Amino acid sequence: MKKPTSIKIINPFKNKKFKHGGLSILLTVIFIAGIVMINIIAGMLLERFNVKVDLTENRLYTIEEATTNYLNQLDDKVSIIVMSRETEFTGRSMYNNQANEIIKRFAAASPNVTVRYIDLMSNPTFANNYSNLTPASIIVESENTGRHKILTNEDYVARSYFGMDGSQISFDEYRMLMSYGMGHMTFVDYSAATESALLSAFLSVTDIEPVYVGICIGFGESPLTSAYKLLDRNAYILQTVDLMTEEIDPELDFLIINVPQTDYSDVAIQKIDKWLDNNGEFGKNLIYIAPYILETPKLDLFLQDWGIEVEQALVWQNDNRYTSPVGSMRETITHYVAAHPEYSKGLNPSYRIYGEYLRHTKLLFEVNANILTTPLIITYDGSSVLTFEELGDEDFDIYAPREEGIYNVAVESTKTRYSATGWDVFESKVIVFGGEYLLRDDFMQMQNANNAEFFLNMMNYISGKDIDIKLTEKSFSIASFAINAEQSNVIGFIFAIALPVVIIGAGVAIWLKRRYR
């Protein structure tokens, strides 16, 4: 009888091939898992800290150190809400893509800043709490104050207009040339303004004690587009006031009356008087920009009480060292100098203030009881005062010799009250400009002029604001390193799909080679 054959049980875990093959599989799995984890962590880091390198020549995708410092100290929770899906927002243009990168830099600089993308078309009810929203809108909203500000495409993409000779022109001049079919004589430079627009919005919505500016309407007043935009950019809150039908909000700190087309009514002037007095507390400021060749007897009487007279006359500069010819579109531009020491601080000494068609703002006294008057902007020596009656005489020679001197084109009158202890001072001011050309759009936008800087200095000093946004807009015209959507897709395919497939394929090939070796 044969001895039964014994069955040999082989332990697969002691098999040499199994050991090598299993080890290869394990290493491959660990390697792939490591790559996946690295990708996940890298994505999280990129999303949270925006760890990207800006290779553009003018740092289009980088925020300034001053902005970063402000965001680091931000103690309010602020939401940035883009009213489109991210891919749709960035896909509209290179300008939107740059804006989106700056938005992410803001979020990366502070844990108190959050970013959301909401498709307005899919969520139309979201717009119920806001006004004038479009898919290009960006909302900046504060949790502490509950205030919000809406940025449009015009806010984060700045446009500057130039003639073919390279000189900057106003939008009105650009539009006129376009209407006459002379668009070939102009060009538009697009600049990135997202950082300054966002920072302005942050300052505006988070300010616990904001400065309110009322823009008067009701008597044909015209807008001061650049001046109002400058105030808006520097966190002033603007609102209109119809003096024909409304009372003046006591919360307003400033009122601006710009070149009314008719004289103000007694009722409107009484409203202004009452608001400036502020129940004896003062602390209010009126800015009046005088119209050209318009008789306003009621406004004149009001100004006389403050020691100011806007004469029916223009200031004319006879010394051609202080004038600039600018072709046939207008007459000579006159140069002026800032006279108020506080409002002049920080102005570029090599730049001047420009204007034209300005009326003489005469001071009737220097001091009268509790009212003090001060020149703000004056002419250079060699100027004359020409009455409208003289200018209307067809035989009048504007270049004939006449009395020359220095004259005011902007003045200030301050009414002061002291507290019972004498330590606290309360002031209301009336500021008069001899015409809107000192604050005209093209002069306010001119890079080698002090018009905008003087106006902003004045507003900041009076209101006590110590934050002045002077971020430089960065031109898209400068050559820079940038990729288009097609290049972006190719790079994404390489790193997100092709490279992982190659790595996995290499791992499988190594395993098979060892398995069947």
Side-chain angles (χ1 to χ4, degrees), residues 16-159:
K16 184 181 291 186
K17 287 186 177 181
F18 182 85
K19 284 183 178 180
H20 286 295
L23 183 61
S24 297
I25 293 174
L26 179 62
L27 291 174
T28 302
V29 170
I30 292 173
F31 181 75
I32 294 173
I35 292 295
V36 172
M37 287 300 298
I38 290 173
N39 272 320
I40 293 173
I41 294 172
M44 293 173 64
L45 287 172
L46 288 173
E47 187 67 27
R48 175 64 186 88
F49 297 103
N50 201 22
V51 186
K52 298 179 181 178
V53 178
D54 185 357
L55 299 179
T56 56
E57 182 178 342
N58 57 344
R59 295 169 60 82
L60 270 173
Y61 301 94
T62 304
I63 60 177
E64 301 295 335
E65 184 178 357
T67 303
T68 302
N69 293 338
Y70 167 78
L71 293 171
N72 287 338
Q73 299 170 12
L74 184 67
D75 56 4
D76 190 356
K77 294 187 181 299
V78 180
S79 298
I80 302 175
I81 308 170
V82 182
M83 298 311 303
S84 295
R85 288 194 290 265
E86 184 176 6
T87 52
E88 292 179 354
F89 182 77
T90 58
R92 287 193 183 99
S93 69
M94 62 178 288
Y95 311 126
N96 287 58
N97 183 62
Q98 187 272 344
N100 192 58
E101 290 299 324
I102 295 299
I103 288 171
K104 290 188 173 183
R105 299 275 182 175
F106 268 65
S110 172
N112 288 326
V113 179
T114 57
V115 180
R116 286 191 291 160
Y117 298 87
I118 296 178
D119 184 3
L120 182 60
M121 307 306 294
S122 303
N123 300 273
T125 58
F126 181 84
N128 292 343
N129 296 325
Y130 307 92
S131 60
N132 301 321
L133 283 184
T134 71
S137 299
I138 300 172
I139 303 171
V140 178
E141 192 164 36
S142 162
E143 181 180 290
N144 288 355
T145 67
R147 294 199 305 272
H148 71 269
K149 186 172 182 180
I150 299 174
L151 304 180
T152 66
N153 180 263
E154 286 73 20
D155 292 316
Y156 52 84
V157 181
R159 296 162 177 82

Side-chain angles (χ1 to χ4, degrees), residues 161-173:
Y161 304 93
F162 297 87
M164 290 305 294
D165 60 354
S167 62
Q168 191 169 354
I169 61 176
S170 68
F171 174 69
D172 289 338
E173 290 173 313

Side-chain angles (χ1 to χ4, degrees), residues 221-245:
E221 298 87 347
S222 61
L224 286 170
T225 306
S226 292
Y228 297 159
K229 185 175 180 179
L230 180 68
L231 294 178
D232 181 65
R233 279 283 177 93
N234 283 271
Y236 289 84
I237 298 179
L238 279 60
Q239 63 187 65
T240 58
V241 182
D242 189 342
L243 291 176
M244 289 279 285
T245 61

Side-chain angles (χ1 to χ4, degrees), residues 315 359-363 375 377-379 406-411:
V315 175
R359 294 168 66 178
H360 179 217
T361 53
K362 182 180 178 181
L363 295 178
I377 302 175
I378 59 176
T379 67
I406 296 173
Y407 297 93
N408 305 323
V409 292
V411 295

